[in-house]
Amino acid sequence: MNFIALVTYLTIMAITPGPNNLALASSGVNFGLKRTMPALMGMALGLSSQVAILALALGSMMALMESIKLYLALAGCLYLFWLSWHMAHAAEPGADGQNRKAKPMGFGGGVLFNWLNPKVWLMGFNVAIVFLPETMPVWQAGALFFVITFIITLPCIAIWAWGGEYIRRYLDSPRRLNLFNYSMAGMLACTAAWLLVEMLPASAVQQMSAMV
């Protein structure tokens, strides 16, 4: 296993814009870093667990994983579209002028978020396929992937949550906050559409080939 290449790949995937980071930045703006921490930890643990599980399952369940990739992409992108709609309306007040419905994602939501994030599935598949050591027992490789992914992912995604809280002070008016939320929601929706377009053709071709 090329350790340097693995660390580089995980860092790039974790720190670049994506559904997880956009959601954390939005949460940081709307709720602050402290209230975003449970979701942040949940995402880091969930992502690390997902990469490890994919590494463990890859050897015996590769065919199954490939057959359901299309449905995972569809479900994940539909969820991201739904999340972008709620993100856009996160700061809208109720009848009394206050937004009482909005609340942070939470730890459980952060863990589960990864399983509906197509970018994390793509990341997990690539890590398992490219970096899975041939001479190491699969369970050891899975544990190693979990530890490395968590150590790298946590600070990378924390930057987005901290950045959200930092720019919160500049969004001191409802108009600016709404503009930010709509911008982040639009970016998330565009990300979901891009991931869907990227994943669907390959998955569709594979399924059509299997049917022939």
Side-chain angles (χ1 to χ4, degrees):
M1 179 175 60
N2 190 326
F3 182 77
I4 296 178
L6 174 61
V7 170
T8 302
Y9 175 77
L10 290 174
T11 302
I12 292 173
M13 292 295 289
I15 204 169
T16 51
N20 281 30
N21 292 333
L22 293 176
L24 287 174
S26 178
S27 182
V29 166
N30 288 281
F31 308 109
L33 180 61
K34 184 177 181 180
R35 296 183 67 192
T36 302
M37 282 301 296
L40 172 64
M41 293 300 299
M43 285 187 182
L45 286 171
L47 192 152
S48 305
S49 300
Q50 189 168 343
V51 170
I53 290 172
L54 285 174
L56 289 170
L58 191 63
S60 58
M61 299 180 63
M62 186 64 185
L64 175 61
M65 291 294 184
E66 289 293 337
S67 66
I68 64 175
K69 187 186 296 185
L70 174 62
Y71 304 105
L72 292 172
L74 286 172
C77 290
L78 287 175
Y79 172 74
L80 293 180
F81 284 125
W82 176 85
L83 182 64
S84 66
W85 187 88
H86 280 271
M87 187 183 295
H89 298 83
E92 289 188 356
D96 58 354
Q98 298 184 14
N99 187 7
R100 301 187 183 279
K101 293 184 178 180
K103 58 182 180 179
M105 183 180 295
F107 179 81
V111 173
L112 296 176
F113 183 84
N114 296 282
W115 293 93
L116 290 172
N117 183 350
K119 182 181 178 181
V120 177
W121 278 98
L122 180 63
M123 175 180 172
F125 271 113
N126 288 341
V127 168
I129 292 173
V130 176
F131 298 102
L132 188 65
E134 296 182 1
T135 58
M136 183 182 296
V138 177
W139 69 269
Q140 289 186 8
L144 180 62
F145 283 161
F146 174 85
V147 173
I148 294 175
T149 304
F150 180 78
I151 292 174
I152 293 173
T153 298
L154 183 60
C156 289
I157 64 177
I159 291 174
W160 286 80
W162 174 83
E165 184 180 52
Y166 180 78
I167 65 174
R168 186 182 187 183
R169 67 191 70 180
Y170 301 106
L171 304 174
D172 54 356
S173 70
R175 181 178 180 181
R176 292 178 183 176
L177 184 56
N178 280 327
L179 179 61
F180 172 83
N181 285 334
Y182 275 101
S183 299
M184 297 298 286
M187 291 175 62
L188 182 60
C190 290
T191 302
W194 174 71
L195 289 169
L196 188 62
V197 170
E198 185 180 61
M199 294 184 70
L200 276 180
S203 298
V205 169
Q206 289 175 358
Q207 292 217 354
M208 290 178 64
S209 300
M211 295 173 61
V212 175

